[in-house]
Amino acid sequence: MTPEKKVREVINRMLNESGWEIVDRDNYSPEISAVAIEEGLLKGNLEADYLLFLNGKAIGVLEAKREELQLSSVVMEQAEKYIRKLPNWCSCWYQPLPIVYLSNGKEILFKNINNLDEDYASISRIHSPREIVKMLGIEDDYAGLPALQKKGLRDCQYEAITELESSFRLGQSRALMVLATGAGKTFTACMAAYRLLSYTPMKRVLFLVDRNNLGRQAEGEFGTFRLTETGEPFNTIFTTERLKSANIPKDANVVISTIQRLFALLTGQELNDNDNDESYNEENKEIQLGGNLNLPPDFFDLIIIDECHRSIYGNWRQVLEYFSSAKMVGLTATPGPETLAFFNNNRIVNYTLEKSIADGINVDYRIYRIKTQITENGGAVKEGEKVTQVTKYSGKVEDVKISEEKTYTPTELNRSIVNPSQIKLILETYRDAIYTELYPEREPQLEYIPKTLIFALNDAHATNIVRIAKEVFPNQSENFVQKITYSARDSNQLIRSFRNNKDFRIAVTVTLVATGTDVKPLEVMMFMRDVESDALYTQMKGRGVRTIGDEQLRNVTPNAISKDLFFLVDAVGVTEHEMQVTRPGIDVPPPNMSLRVLLERITHGDLPDDNLRLLASRLSRINIKSDNKQRQKFMDLARIEMKDLAVQIFNTLEGGTLDPFIEVNQPNLARKGLVRPLTRNPKARQYLLELNAGFISILQPGEDNLIEKGFSIEEAQKTTQAFEEYINSHKDEIEALRIIYNNTNEPITYGMLKDLREKLIHSSNKFNPVLLWNTYSILEPAHVVSFRTKGEKDALTNIIQLVRFAFKEISELRSFSSLAASRFELWCGQNQRPLTDIQKEIIRNVVNYIVANGSCTMNDIKEEDKPFVAQMVRIFGSADTVNNAIISLSQFILKAV
């Protein structure tokens, strides 16, 4: 290395440590916040060793000299000449450039030419961008940002933060980050918050979550984030507070809250540290900020909105937009049209679930379908059949006989009808498939079934699933199956327990674990409810995609091998229909007044046309869904049929005979007469509320039959067809494919196989070799041999067998790992020179290397284990003999048979 290059390496390191990125002229971008351009072009074809830029504008030069050269007056004059030679086409902060550095790697001299009375000063390090901004009084909020270092960041995180800062520098006030579940959204938010708090005038950040338990999770991540200048945790550098009471500490830099808690704080309501924020918006409750609020509009400089696809719309939007001067950053994996509109269509990164799977950040899934007669077609409750009837409004439970036969549709199942046999049949089918179809390679231990998350329709459905699961999985621990819903005990503790405890195997939830919650050991998700929203469905699937280390997985699932994918057990057809793209606040209609509130207002004489019309509509709807016995009971109480009362109200309104309603203190006799059957009779109103809420009929025990179970044949066929089309269309251009297709017996090396694997996964995340192997096993189970060990599953040479099977060169898909022992013995027997026992024993160790990595030579193994190769050379007599033996063995092991 030349003396000049040695010095440059030292100076480059010093620049990097101070927050400057080094690029050459061709790779410069104004998007880089602080950059030193090597050989920066000046007027007259002069070149500065380093031309320094902040926020796209030149600010100074650094002149480098060899270590043995003094930083003399000649060097000073040269540098000061350069600061006056900036080309006219180059932006700058000042003319001439004010900052001059001289360095020979041992010494740094610095001068700010704006300080006329000061000469060059010796300094120990190069100034950071922030220090230069402060020194020169540059009025630009983002000029002090140091260059972002890639170390410790995923590519998608680096892109997100770089683009965010660039967006703010360009004057955008809102930005949307679309990052797949598992890509590290909160970590990215921590990095963005740290940099903006450290290097810009921002002093206070609001981190908005959509559930309070996710606030606790975020608080933990801010506490463990250490990608800081000093390596200290974020929360020891900046005060981080989760909003628990009506007081925000004055020194708080990051405040974590739900939007409901923020509203309560603004409007002076009492705050408790619990998880009930989600139900804060009571029926018909208007969100009014009012004028006398507890925080000024400029209280927050930056608002980061997690899960922004659903937490900031409708009535709550005004709470967010009250902080009018704050920059806003949205985080989501599933943006809808309104999300994009709210953030001015400024989507700065779009890292999808598919990309994250291809990059190995997340795992893919396979669908296992369970169809039952009742789930698919509904059923009937016969006249005289006994059922347990639950009155939803009051919770009253009684055993009754059905007075007339009722049919029910699949959509009514687990809403108004509970068929315990349907739930039991689904759970039994899943239980029987766990170790026969999903995980046949695992030791069949029911106490360690894969961590399973079941999505239920509602809380009552979840309760029934838990009860029946205990029957389906008998003799297990008390914690084996538990419900995680708002009605359960401490949901945060339950989620932690599900994540970490061996004995908690099945969690049943409705929505609490549907979004945001991180349970890495989760391997099976079962849908026992349908989902229409594309965003919600993607979020729910996202609970299963998280990767986890093998040892960490075995800590909670002892019989597991590794998590390469998760299974989506579809018991309701959720995977078989198109999803809807819903827009929060637009597609969801505004809540009508509840019937209870409506009846109360009417009883007190609040009788405008709108209330009368709403009452008539409700009566009509309740009448339609009631049976004859229920209609008769209402008539006995109100002395008028529901239908007749509704018709009377509608006809009177249409006739226009009523006097205008002014206010409740007027007589309004005609209006009061219309509703008198209800206002005079509290029991009729009460019964109307019961009919409106409905009843749940629990069959005793009901019956159901299995129609179909198993993996999706259609999906598997599509995947294998696409794979076979890909390898056929690329068999002449990809070297490994060419060799396999032509069966030339040429070496197929590690590099070739790695290149093929990357190309396959880049083309489709479903072309992951492990997933392809499983997919072929669905279509041709008699001709596919499952993996027995993790090493067998991870072997790169499995790609060779997959391609040969697809090309119809072999009739059975079997890994080389299962063939290696017998092929080794055959090779030894066919060897022209018989091997001694010691030679045979030592070269046997090469077999596993070949199976794992492909064809190899002595030099390939030497890179891994030099002493082992030396031992082989001693035993075989020469390096050539060893090399020839390894090449011969590779070809024999990997040949097509």
Side-chain angles (χ1 to χ4, degrees):
M1 188 182 294
T2 65
E4 288 82 0
K5 282 190 177 180
K6 283 183 180 179
V7 169
R8 287 295 183 100
E9 280 198 354
V10 173
I11 293 173
N12 286 355
R13 187 175 66 250
M14 291 191 292
L15 282 165
N16 283 150
E17 288 172 353
S18 293
W20 300 84
E21 185 169 337
I22 296 100
V23 300
D24 58 30
R25 294 208 300 264
D26 293 336
N27 288 301
Y28 169 72
S29 168
E31 305 290 304
I32 307 171
S33 53
V35 62
I37 302 177
E38 292 185 291
E39 318 304 343
L41 189 63
L42 303 171
K43 288 178 180 177
N45 283 327
L46 297 173
E47 290 181 346
D49 290 332
Y50 296 90
L51 189 55
L52 307 180
F53 282 75
L54 285 178
N55 207 1
K57 296 181 181 181
I59 194 65
V61 299
L62 188 154
E63 192 60 22
K65 296 298 176 186
R66 294 200 307 271
E67 184 177 334
E68 67 272 15
L69 295 180
Q70 294 294 314
L71 302 177
S72 64
S73 59
V74 175
V75 180
M76 296 173 186
E77 288 171 11
Q78 182 184 7
E80 292 188 36
K81 176 182 176 183
Y82 288 167
I83 63 175
R84 291 168 171 82
K85 293 287 185 178
L86 192 71
N88 296 333
W89 43 262
C90 199
S91 298
C92 62
W93 288 101
Y94 304 98
Q95 277 279 25
L97 303 180
I99 299 298
V100 181
Y101 291 102
L102 314 174
S103 180
N104 57 11
K106 292 190 303 182
E107 184 182 10
I108 308 170
L109 296 183
F110 166 74
K111 184 176 183 179
N112 175 1
I113 68 163
N114 289 343
N115 296 336
L116 301 177
D117 298 333
E118 293 182 10
D119 203 352
Y120 283 88
S122 179
I123 57 175
S124 60
R125 61 176 179 82
I126 295 169
H127 298 97
S128 69
R130 176 76 166 151
E131 289 169 332
I132 289 179
V133 166
K134 189 174 180 182
M135 181 194 308
L136 299 176
I138 293 174
E139 294 184 0
D140 183 310
D141 289 350
Y142 306 103
L145 280 164
L148 179 64
Q149 302 299 314
K150 287 189 175 182
K151 186 178 179 181
L153 296 173
R154 292 171 173 158
D155 289 346
C156 60
Q157 295 170 331
Y158 178 84
E159 180 187 357
I161 296 163
T162 301
E163 291 298 322
L164 174 67
E165 293 171 359
S166 174
S167 181
F168 284 171
R169 285 201 300 270
L170 292 172
Q172 293 276 7
S173 60
R174 297 183 182 182
L176 177 64
M177 296 182 184
V178 179
L179 293 168
T181 298
K185 289 193 295 291
T186 308
F187 188 91
T188 305
C190 291
M191 187 80 241
Y194 170 75
R195 284 174 59 80
L196 292 169
L197 288 170
S198 298
Y199 307 118
T200 78
M202 291 187 183
K203 299 298 180 191
R204 195 174 286 118
V205 175
L206 170 65
F207 188 81
L208 204 63
V209 295
D210 74 339
R211 294 205 307 272
N212 203 32
N213 73 310
L214 298 183
R216 287 189 173 90
Q217 193 169 300
E219 186 179 30
E221 291 202 43
F222 275 98
T224 57
F225 180 84
R226 287 177 173 267
L227 207 59
T228 58
E229 268 191 38
T230 61
E232 292 297 308
F234 183 104
N235 63 357
T236 63
I237 301 168
F238 296 110
T239 303
T240 304
E241 286 287 330
R242 183 167 55 83
L243 192 58
K244 305 170 191 170
S245 67
N247 295 313
I248 297 178
K250 290 182 179 179
D251 63 343
N253 301 111
V254 176
V255 177
I256 302 170
S257 175
T258 62
I259 201 164
Q260 295 91 341
R261 283 179 163 264
L262 185 62
F263 171 74
L265 173 69
L266 282 171
T267 53
Q269 299 176 38
E270 185 177 348
L271 280 176
N272 295 308
D273 189 22
N274 57 47
D275 291 329
N276 294 328
D277 290 350
E278 292 78 7
S279 58
Y280 183 87
N281 194 1
E282 300 160 5
E283 285 186 64
N284 201 41
K285 185 178 179 73
E286 293 292 329
I287 305 302
Q288 296 292 339
L289 281 178
N292 187 23
L293 301 178
N294 289 336
L295 297 177
D298 61 354
F299 188 77
F300 295 110
D301 302 301
L302 175 69
I303 300 177
I304 302 174
I305 307 145
D306 194 21
E307 306 295 354
C308 66
H309 58 281
R310 71 187 188 104
S311 59
I312 56 175
Y313 305 106
N315 287 336
W316 297 113
R317 180 170 180 156
Q318 61 182 300
V319 179
L320 194 61
E321 292 183 332
Y322 168 73
F323 299 101
S324 53
S325 63
K327 304 282 188 186
M328 295 191 192
V329 181
L331 306 175
T332 183
T334 53
E338 189 171 73
T339 316
L340 290 164
F342 182 87
F343 290 97
N344 302 325
N345 290 305
N346 185 30
R347 177 162 42 188
I348 57 173
V349 64
N350 188 26
Y351 191 68
T352 63
L353 181 61
E354 290 72 25
K355 288 179 184 175
S356 72
I357 292 169
D359 289 344
I361 290 173
N362 286 320
V363 298
D364 207 346
Y365 65 95
R366 283 179 62 195
I367 298 166
Y368 187 88
R369 186 72 166 93
I370 298 174
K371 289 185 181 181
T372 76
Q373 182 69 38
I374 295 299
T375 312
E376 296 299 305
N377 304 312
V381 188
K382 295 181 174 57
E383 181 181 350
E385 190 173 337
K386 280 188 176 181
V387 302
T388 300
Q389 183 172 279
V390 180
T391 303
K392 288 184 183 179
Y393 185 77
S394 63
K396 180 182 176 183
V397 179
E398 57 185 334
D399 290 335
V400 299
K401 276 188 178 181
I402 296 299
S403 59
E404 55 186 279
E405 182 171 316
K406 289 183 179 178
T407 60
Y408 57 91
T409 65
T411 56
E412 291 176 285
L413 196 62
N414 299 309
R415 286 184 169 91
S416 58
I417 294 287
V418 174
N419 186 335
S421 292
Q422 180 250 2
I423 297 173
K424 188 173 185 181
L425 180 57
I426 290 170
L427 293 175
E428 286 176 337
T429 305
Y430 167 58
R431 177 199 63 197
D432 295 343
I434 292 172
Y435 292 119
T436 57
E437 298 177 76
L438 306 186
Y439 295 99
E441 73 281 3
R442 293 189 184 180
E443 187 71 26
Q445 298 171 291
L446 285 182
E447 66 270 29
Y448 294 132
I449 67 168
K451 291 270 186 180
T452 302
L453 179 64
I454 300 177
F455 290 114
L457 182 64
N458 49 47
D459 191 72
H461 187 211
T463 300
N464 286 323
I465 292 171
V466 169
R467 176 178 59 80
I468 295 169
K470 289 180 178 179
E471 299 172 12
V472 173
F473 295 91
N475 305 318
Q476 302 302 325
S477 76
E478 185 181 346
N479 298 325
F480 183 85
V481 54
Q482 298 179 73
K483 184 173 71 169
I484 306 180
T485 65
Y486 296 125
S487 69
R489 54 190 174 85
D490 186 349
S491 58
N492 291 297
Q493 178 56 44
L494 284 168
I495 290 169
R496 282 194 297 272
S497 177
F498 185 50
R499 185 185 296 129
N500 300 318
N501 290 1
K502 288 181 183 178
D503 57 347
F504 188 175
R505 307 311 303 175
I506 302 175
V508 185
T509 190
V510 180
T511 58
L512 189 59
V513 195
T515 64
T517 306
D518 179 11
V519 184
K520 290 182 178 180
L522 182 63
E523 295 185 275
V524 178
M525 288 172 46
M526 181 185 291
F527 281 81
M528 292 182 73
R529 59 165 287 189
D530 201 2
V531 181
E532 298 291 337
S533 163
D534 182 62
L536 178 59
Y537 179 55
T538 302
Q539 289 282 336
M540 292 165 97
K541 286 190 298 182
R543 299 316 98 216
V545 302
R546 303 298 180 97
T547 56
I548 184 172
D550 296 346
E551 286 304 315
Q552 191 182 355
L553 176 62
R554 283 192 285 272
N555 284 339
V556 291
T557 306
N559 63 344
I561 297 171
S562 64
K563 179 180 176 180
D564 302 297
L565 75 166
F566 73 95
F567 291 99
L568 191 160
V569 179
D570 180 5
V572 291
V574 69
T575 62
E576 297 173 354
H577 64 76
E578 293 294 322
M579 295 290 167
Q580 298 175 1
V581 179
T582 56
R583 297 172 294 171
I586 293 179
D587 289 342
V588 179
N592 279 324
M593 193 185 307
S594 71
L595 181 62
R596 182 172 178 270
V597 171
L598 178 63
L599 290 174
E600 185 175 18
R601 287 189 176 188
I602 283 171
T603 305
H604 284 281
D606 185 19
L607 299 167
D609 287 4
D610 285 348
N611 283 1
L612 291 174
R613 190 172 289 106
L614 183 58
L615 176 63
S617 297
R618 295 286 179 84
L619 287 167
S620 298
R621 184 173 61 79
I622 295 169
N623 181 68
I624 290 169
K625 74 174 188 176
S626 298
D627 60 28
N628 290 332
K629 185 177 178 182
Q630 292 163 341
R631 294 188 194 106
Q632 182 62 47
K633 181 174 179 179
F634 177 83
M635 190 175 74
D636 292 344
L637 293 170
R639 299 178 187 175
I640 187 172
E641 290 189 10
M642 265 187 283
K643 178 182 176 182
D644 291 345
L645 181 55
V647 169
Q648 281 183 19
I649 296 172
F650 276 134
N651 288 343
T652 305
L653 289 171
E654 289 174 10
T657 59
L658 291 173
D659 292 333
F661 178 81
I662 307 299
E663 48 106 13
V664 294
N665 292 314
Q666 300 293 319
N668 300 316
L669 295 178
R671 292 174 183 269
K672 288 179 179 177
L674 273 177
V675 297
R676 192 161 181 267
L678 293 176
T679 57
R680 71 181 180 183
N681 197 328
K683 289 184 179 179
R685 298 198 303 272
Q686 180 73 18
Y687 189 57
L688 202 59
L689 289 170
E690 290 181 8
L691 291 176
N692 180 61
F695 304 89
I696 299 174
S697 296
I698 303 174
L699 307 188
Q700 303 176 352
E703 59 181 35
D704 198 2
N705 295 300
L706 187 66
I707 297 175
E708 179 187 315
K709 70 179 180 71
F711 295 104
S712 169
I713 301 295
E714 183 181 356
E715 182 198 15
Q717 286 172 337
K718 285 180 182 177
T719 300
T720 56
Q721 182 181 346
F723 170 64
E724 288 164 14
E725 287 173 357
Y726 179 88
I727 61 174
N728 268 296
S729 62
H730 293 82
K731 63 179 181 290
D732 296 325
E733 62 192 70
I734 299 176
E735 187 70 357
L737 289 179
R738 181 190 66 76
I739 296 171
I740 297 169
Y741 178 75
N742 294 306
N743 200 14
T744 61
N745 207 28
E746 296 171 64
I748 306 173
T749 64
Y750 172 82
M752 292 178 188
L753 291 174
K754 188 178 179 186
D755 174 67
L756 175 55
R757 186 182 189 279
E758 288 173 357
K759 285 184 166 74
L760 286 171
I761 293 175
H762 181 74
S763 175
S764 170
N765 53 35
K766 294 190 182 300
F767 294 172
N768 178 301
V770 174
L771 294 181
L772 274 173
W773 201 283
N774 288 329
T775 303
Y776 274 113
S777 72
I778 295 170
L779 300 175
E780 302 185 55
H783 298 95
V784 178
V785 179
S786 298
F787 300 125
R788 297 166 301 175
T789 65
K790 183 179 183 303
E792 185 176 350
K793 176 173 58 62
D794 290 343
L796 202 53
T797 55
N798 291 335
I799 299 173
I800 300 174
Q801 294 295 75
L802 280 165
V803 173
R804 284 177 176 160
F805 192 70
F807 280 147
K808 308 294 188 288
E809 293 178 2
I810 54 177
S811 59
E812 184 181 57
L813 184 56
R814 178 188 289 272
S815 73
F816 285 115
S817 182
S818 64
L819 299 168
S822 60
R823 288 196 175 186
F824 175 71
E825 293 299 334
L826 282 172
W827 176 79
C828 291
Q830 294 178 15
N831 205 354
Q832 290 179 352
R833 275 179 46 193
L835 301 174
T836 66
D837 288 344
I838 192 167
Q839 287 174 335
K840 184 176 176 180
E841 204 55 44
I842 194 165
I843 202 167
R844 189 192 301 274
N845 295 315
V846 177
V847 172
N848 289 338
Y849 184 92
I850 295 168
V851 168
N853 301 289
S855 296
C856 60
T857 65
M858 184 184 73
N859 287 334
D860 294 324
I861 299 175
K862 194 174 182 180
E863 290 179 11
E864 297 283 328
D865 194 342
K866 215 179 252 188
F868 173 69
V869 170
Q871 185 183 9
M872 288 184 72
V873 171
R874 284 197 307 272
I875 291 171
F876 276 83
S878 73
D880 284 344
T881 305
V882 170
N883 195 47
N884 291 336
I886 292 173
I887 292 171
S888 170
L889 179 60
S890 294
Q891 290 177 328
F892 196 89
I893 294 280
L894 301 179
K895 70 179 180 179
V897 177

